[in-house]
Amino acid sequence: MKKKKGKIIALAAMLCVLGILVGATFALKHYNKVREEEKNKDTSVVVIDKSSLTVTSAEITTKAGRLSFSYVNDEWVYDDDEHFPVNQEKLSDIAQTLSKISASVEIAPDRQGTEAEYGLDAPGVRAVAAFSDGTSVTYLFGDINSYNNCQYLSVSGDDNVYLTETSVAETLAAKLDDLCRSEAFPLTADGIKSTDVKEITLKTADGKTNTVNDSDGIDELLGYVKVLNLTSRATYYANAEDMATEYGIDSASATVTVKYVKSTTYTDEDGNDYTGSDDVSYTLRIGKSFVQSLKEADGTEGSETCCYYSPEGSDMVYYSDSASVGAVFDFIDYVPGEGSGAAEED
């Protein structure tokens, strides 16, 4: 009887241990689940959410100065110059940023230090946004907290101070030139190769012309023309008078005209896409030369002769070194099979 009783006690002990293990397993699973939920839980604090409204104006002040934009007739306009070609996508990003901001930390008034401790007494970025409901909000971005690399933020009408991502202020603090709409350079944007080009016609200011239409000539000349790729902008707006007097670009200017075939996707009446081709003509007008001062990497000063140019129909003016422009017009005397040194005049 004692032996049987001992077996029963041992079995009971094993069952007890098994029960403890099962319970511990369930407890561990629950603990891990809670930890995972906490880990995935959005702990951000909504500072402001006016995303259902339209931003009607945005004023941003940094150490570089003040920029102000207004939303008029469904597009952004630079208040200081109506001719400034605003990059609408970038201004929309700024408006979206001003409409909704979240923070990782909220500091209530009873736990706050002074404005100077947060850099809010002299903010690096100050933004003011007006909304379609008639309200206006001012945002002040102060110092960056070295512990979590977040930036202190205060918002008008809210006594709290927040810590938000530095990318918020960085988006708002764009320079004016970064907010300028760039013109596309068709020869690059359309992916034009020499085999797509039918001909390239050069015309000098004194009326001399030459059309290059052989494959070897086009292949070589196109490479030089592509250097004039609208990279260095002299001005974003020039009226006809300024274009002629200041930049030397008018109806009598030298020109470079590239005629090429561009592949285009069309949609038929049944909604099916098909690829077709268009004949395109792209002309650059060449203006006068000027001397630009340069500063070398070692600090020494120098100069470079440059030349203004502008796409036909554009009010933007660009410039390139005169050597690059000269390389194009070396082909004014080009004869197929003889290179660019032989003369041919129409």
Side-chain angles (χ1 to χ4, degrees):
M1 284 295 292
K2 287 183 179 181
K3 190 174 181 180
K4 186 175 181 181
K5 185 176 181 181
K7 288 183 178 180
I8 293 174
I9 293 173
L11 180 60
M14 288 176 62
L15 291 173
C16 182
V17 170
L18 181 61
I20 293 172
L21 289 173
V22 171
T25 300
F26 279 111
L28 181 61
K29 284 184 178 179
H30 176 71
Y31 173 72
N32 287 335
K33 182 179 180 182
V34 170
R35 285 194 64 187
E36 188 64 27
E37 288 176 349
E38 287 296 322
K39 180 180 177 181
N40 296 328
K41 185 178 180 181
D42 184 6
T43 59
S44 63
V45 178
V46 176
V47 178
I48 187 169
D49 187 356
K50 288 179 173 285
S51 52
S52 62
L53 303 173
T54 300
V55 178
T56 56
S57 69
E59 177 187 303
I60 300 164
T61 304
T62 65
K63 293 180 180 179
R66 170 188 166 278
L67 299 177
S68 180
F69 300 87
S70 297
Y71 194 62
V72 181
N73 296 327
D74 296 329
E75 70 173 14
W76 286 100
V77 178
Y78 178 44
D79 292 340
D80 290 349
D81 187 350
E82 63 178 350
H83 297 296
F84 181 81
V86 176
N87 185 314
Q88 299 296 320
E89 183 177 349
K90 289 188 176 181
L91 257 297
S92 294
D93 289 342
I94 287 176
Q96 186 175 3
T97 297
L98 292 169
S99 296
K100 186 174 182 179
I101 299 177
S102 296
S104 56
V105 176
E106 177 185 86
I107 307 173
D110 59 343
R111 298 189 295 115
Q112 291 176 19
T114 64
E115 284 191 335
E117 289 181 272
Y118 302 133
L120 295 171
D121 58 331
V125 178
R126 179 183 185 272
V128 180
F131 295 88
S132 53
D133 64 351
T135 60
S136 177
V137 179
T138 299
Y139 313 77
L140 303 179
F141 294 86
D143 293 339
I144 295 174
N145 185 303
S146 58
Y147 177 76
N148 57 18
N149 200 38
C150 287
Q151 192 164 13
Y152 290 105
L153 163 68
S154 68
V155 178
S156 59
D158 188 337
D159 293 331
N160 296 314
V161 172
Y162 299 92
L163 277 167
T164 189
E165 297 292 331
T166 57
S167 58
V168 177
E170 289 170 358
T171 299
L172 300 177
K175 297 178 181 178
L176 181 61
D177 197 53
D178 297 331
L179 300 176
C180 182
R181 184 186 71 249
S182 298
E183 287 187 297
F185 181 57
L187 302 183
T188 300
D190 294 341
I192 299 305
K193 305 181 293 294
S194 59
T195 51
D196 301 316
V197 177
K198 292 183 174 181
E199 62 183 38
I200 302 175
T201 299
L202 307 176
K203 179 181 78 70
T204 64
D206 59 7
K208 185 177 182 179
T209 65
N210 189 24
T211 296
V212 178
N213 52 22
D214 67 297
S215 59
D216 290 339
I218 287 174
D219 187 54
E220 186 178 358
L221 178 53
L222 184 64
Y224 291 119
V225 175
K226 282 189 173 182
V227 174
L228 308 182
N229 56 7
L230 315 184
T231 299
S232 299
R233 186 174 59 239
T235 183
Y236 56 77
Y237 173 75
N239 57 31
E241 182 179 352
D242 290 340
M243 192 75 79
T245 58
E246 188 170 350
Y247 303 105
I249 299 173
D250 56 25
S251 58
S253 294
T255 58
V256 182
T257 300
V258 182
K259 293 184 178 180
Y260 61 92
V261 177
K262 174 187 174 183
S263 296
T264 306
T265 300
Y266 297 97
T267 303
D268 62 22
E269 58 184 12
D270 296 323
N272 301 312
D273 291 340
Y274 66 96
T275 301
S277 60
D278 293 325
D279 289 335
V280 180
S281 180
Y282 179 66
T283 298
L284 290 174
R285 302 168 294 171
I286 310 301
K288 63 184 180 181
S289 299
F290 68 99
V291 177
Q292 176 178 244
S293 297
L294 297 176
K295 194 166 186 178
E296 305 296 340
D298 59 3
T300 59
E301 295 185 354
S303 62
E304 181 181 41
T305 302
C306 296
C307 187
Y308 293 118
Y309 67 94
S310 177
E312 189 173 66
S314 172
D315 50 23
M316 291 187 179
V317 179
Y318 304 85
Y319 65 91
S320 179
D321 62 282
S322 293
S324 295
V325 177
V328 172
F329 279 89
D330 282 345
F331 282 76
I332 195 67
D333 295 321
Y334 173 83
V335 175
E338 298 182 16
S340 58
E344 176 173 295
E345 186 172 342
D346 292 339

